Amino acid sequence: MENIIIAIIFLSAVAYLGNIVLKNFSLKNKAGCSKGCGSCGAIDFDKIAAEMESKN
């Protein structure tokens, strides 16, 4: 009986860690970072590149 409980706890922990790993490497996260807050996505790299080219 104890082995079954330990196996359930172990499998739950593996599933939880697997879920975290999948979230970190998911393609849904378009912000480019693992936090998933979306603040990194607010940077417009095309606009920055255009400004840098216009200064030269």
Side-chain angles (χ1 to χ4, degrees), residues 11 31 41 43:
L11 292 174
I43 299 172

Side-chain angles (χ1 to χ4, degrees), residues 23-55:
K23 283 183 182 179
N24 283 336
F25 293 109
S26 174
L27 295 176
K28 291 180 184 177
N29 186 6
K30 296 179 182 171
C33 62
S34 62
K35 292 194 306 187
C37 63
S39 64
C40 300
I43 299 172
D44 187 5
F45 291 109
D46 293 331
K47 181 180 176 185
I48 294 171
E51 288 177 2
M52 290 176 65
E53 288 177 4
S54 67
K55 289 182 182 179

